[in-house]
Amino acid sequence: MKINTQIQVLLTNHQIKCPKSKKKKPRGPTKGIKSMPGVPRIIEWDHLDRPTGKWATDYKNHIGEISRAKVSILIRTWEDVSQGIKDTLWEDVKREFHITDETKKEVVLKSCDKRWREFKSRLTTGWIRGTRKRPKDEKMPYDLYSYITKDIWKEFVKIRTSEEAEEISEKARQSQSFNIYPHHMGQKSYAEMTSEWQRKGYIPSVSSSSEGSSASTISSSLPSRTCLWLLARSVPDEKGNPYLPDQGTQKVKENIDEWKRKQDEGEFVPKSARDDVLSRALGKTKEGRPLTFGGGVGIKAVWGTGERRSFRRYGDAEMEEMEARVTKRVKDETIQEMNSKMDAMVMEKFITFAKELGVQIPSHMRIDANVHSSCRSGGLDPFADITV
């Protein structure tokens, strides 16, 4: 599917004068959705179980509000949250947005988990580490949120400044450092922005893009993910047209153009749905998760069971450590087996010698026939049956 020509030109033009960036207001407490008696909020879902439609933003805000209010920030992980609280969250969302499909419970709770973790992260970066802007009035979280008391906040600070928390934070920072092509969608998801880009005519709608095609896969009915990836990393210029502000992303765009040319001329033939122009331009022929579909959407949901996840590649140090562990395990198991056979042989010799002396052997000391034959199979060599 061809990328919209107008957008292709706009995203290629890097000479556009960058508009002055607006100062972003620090994020404050979400006020929740407004009560609208008599107006049913019915959430819609796309092919990938992502919320879409008129009430998608209200749904996301409501998910965040009830997760913060009902799940304590002192709970370490989502796995530690009681099933009763999870059921309460599900029933709340189901009632508010008229969800009748029980299979959506897992999807809803994943969203609750994500929003709850994001909230704890904002509290940490805004008030503990000071790496994020916070409201100018300098109010503390226990002044902003009714469900956070001074005692709860004191304990939360203690948890988030512990050695364990520092190690987790460092791993997260290292992971984030690999995100060298950040998007500029703000708080909106790919699903929300896709609808917006379709309204603006930047990408074709699902119906127009799949017209005349008999393909039934999800990926064939969605707009080109290459275009989505570029649009997510673009910002509007003074005229409202998208352009790429980051030099790294501009370089990727050049790679995309080159791989697109190769594909058009037959030099590059994708081996699978995942092996497309975008994956080649990024140098990611084996993605850990599908790009441009949003968090929580797995490879199986997008490309089906035929596409397998990439396997982890271990470094030299990790391989040495793994080999050492395997060697130790094999050695321990070998020694254990040797000791078992030696004990059996000693017992067998003892019983034989006792019989020759006419000493009656108690029944609990008699050796099992299977053990006897196993020892005999190796002759006098106790190592004969051992394979390392």
Side-chain angles (χ1 to χ4, degrees), residues 363-382:
S363 58
H364 70 275
M365 293 182 63
R366 292 173 185 172
I367 193 166
D368 187 90
N370 293 328
V371 176
H372 178 82
S373 61
S374 173
C375 296
R376 288 290 189 182
S377 63
L380 297 177
D381 184 3

Side-chain angles (χ1 to χ4, degrees), residues 258-306:
E258 179 62 18
W259 281 102
K260 189 73 169 64
R261 181 194 64 76
K262 290 181 179 180
Q263 185 176 16
D264 293 341
E265 296 178 2
E267 295 181 37
F268 163 56
V269 179
K271 297 178 181 178
S272 65
R274 294 166 60 184
D275 183 25
D276 60 2
V277 169
L278 179 61
S279 63
R280 291 284 176 159
L282 292 171
K284 294 183 177 182
T285 54
K286 290 186 177 181
E287 300 168 24
R289 62 179 180 83
L291 301 177
T292 75
F293 294 100
V297 179
I299 288 176
K300 183 178 178 181
V302 178
W303 289 302
T305 55

Side-chain angles (χ1 to χ4, degrees), residues 337-348 375 382-383:
E337 186 176 355
M338 287 169 55
N339 289 337
S340 176
K341 287 183 178 289
M342 289 294 290
D343 290 342
M345 287 182 63
V346 171
M347 180 60 70
E348 182 183 9
C375 296
F383 307 103

Side-chain angles (χ1 to χ4, degrees), residues 7 11 18 20 31 35 89-90 118 121 129 140 155 198 213 216-217 281 310-311 315 337 341 346 356 372 380:
I7 301 305
L11 292 176
C18 302
K20 293 181 179 179
K31 296 180 180 179
S35 177
L89 293 171
W90 162 239
E118 288 174 348
S121 178
R129 302 191 188 281
M140 296 299 290
E155 185 63 25
Q198 287 173 342
S213 173
S216 59
T217 60
S310 59
F311 292 96
E337 186 176 355
K341 287 183 178 289
V346 171
E356 291 176 356
H372 178 82
L380 297 177

Side-chain angles (χ1 to χ4, degrees), residues 83-98:
Q83 189 59 48
I85 293 177
K86 293 178 181 178
D87 291 340
T88 300
L89 293 171
W90 162 239
E91 292 298 328
D92 187 309
V93 177
K94 185 171 69 169
R95 180 180 60 255
E96 189 66 41
F97 293 93
H98 302 272

